[in-house]
Amino acid sequence: MSPRSHNLVFLGPPGAGKGTQAARWALRHGLAHISTGDLLRENLKDQTSVGMMAQDFMDRGVLVPDDVVCQMVRDRLEHQDTEPGFILDGFPRTVGQADALARDLARRHRPLTRVVSFAVREEDLVVRLAGRLTCGRCGRVFHQKSNAPKAQGVCDDCDGELFSRSDDSEETVLARLATYREETAPLLSWYRDRDLLTDIDASQSIEAVEGALERALECQ
Ligand code: AP5
């Protein structure tokens, strides 16, 4: 196995930069980037039964039921692009999901190699989410100040139109943070106990976080 054949989980609160770092790391190392938030938003856009069911949960900033999300990830892991390795971004988010994932990966003989925890102070997360801009065409993520596009409202990569996610409203962000504290934060000790967790200080610049990630994962 190449030192870069990682099966990774990026874990952290909303706005910690999981998606930003996962996109960069996946591109650099040829891994599949699997974001459950993105998969659910695609289902919503395509008006599938999963998307229509998930909408209400996402609008309220609470988690979509485990069985739905686990099945979605199971299906996605069947794709050939995951063979060199994958990054799960925003999954698992509950102990139930983590348990189901571990069993599924054991069946496939593809265990997780590392779980990276991205830590940022809550007040910074709120600022990050309030200024986030997402490309409607390719999904690339920007920030009005810290990661601004070259031209206002337009994606640097594909000229697509940038929009603010509806769940980045102040009220929904607070609900998402509470959901994280209650349901997802317990996964930190769950993975630490299994000797899989690496902590990253994600409050630094995007480039500094990327460097920290490189140093942390290259010694694995
Ligand atoms: P999801 O889309 O996964 O949202 P999230 O986990 O809340 O994470 P975000 O996408 O908000 O943040 P991020 O950490 O990726 O940060 P980003 O890189 O974009 O989930 C949405 C909803 O779907 C959930 O609420 C739930 O309902 C449902 N769902 C999803 N997965 C589920 C699951 N497994 N189970 C059940 N339900 C599920 O960065 C944020 C901003 O900060 C950007 O503007 C970026 O440019 C900027 N930024 C990034 N890094 C830095 C930096 N180092 N310095 C300064 N700015 C930075």
Side-chain angles (χ1 to χ4, degrees), residues 83-104:
E83 275 174 19
F86 52 82
I87 305 172
L88 293 169
D89 159 14
F91 179 90
R93 262 167 146 107
T94 63
V95 170
Q97 290 179 15
D99 216 20
L101 176 69
R103 277 185 276 118
D104 193 40

Side-chain angles (χ1 to χ4, degrees), residues 83-145:
E83 275 174 19
F86 52 82
I87 305 172
L88 293 169
D89 159 14
F91 179 90
R93 262 167 146 107
T94 63
V95 170
Q97 290 179 15
D99 216 20
L101 176 69
R103 277 185 276 118
D104 193 40
L105 292 179
R107 259 198 312 275
R108 294 170 195 259
H109 306 290
R110 301 166 78 189
L112 286 179
T113 44
R114 197 100 302 255
V115 175
V116 181
S117 157
F118 291 75
V120 181
R121 288 183 319 170
E122 253 187 39
E123 49 268 46
D124 296 336
L125 296 173
V126 173
V127 172
R128 286 189 186 183
L129 294 174
R132 171 163 55 189
L133 297 168
T134 305
C135 175
R137 194 179 293 162
C138 73
R140 181 166 166 190
V141 172
F142 297 86
H143 188 274
Q144 283 162 4
K145 292 190 179 143

Side-chain angles (χ1 to χ4, degrees), residues 10-63:
F10 282 7
L11 183 65
K18 307 178 295 295
T20 300
Q21 295 297 336
R24 288 172 170 239
W25 189 267
L27 193 67
R28 282 230 315 277
H29 301 296
L31 305 180
H33 175 192
I34 304 176
S35 154
T36 42
D38 287 349
L39 290 175
L40 289 167
R41 281 184 288 278
E42 276 166 30
N43 273 281
L44 208 59
K45 203 161 135 191
D46 296 343
Q47 300 261 294
T48 67
S49 53
V50 167
M52 301 212 302
M53 190 282 284
Q55 177 156 34
D56 173 57
F57 295 94
M58 296 171 82
D59 287 347
R60 288 188 288 124
V62 298
L63 297 181

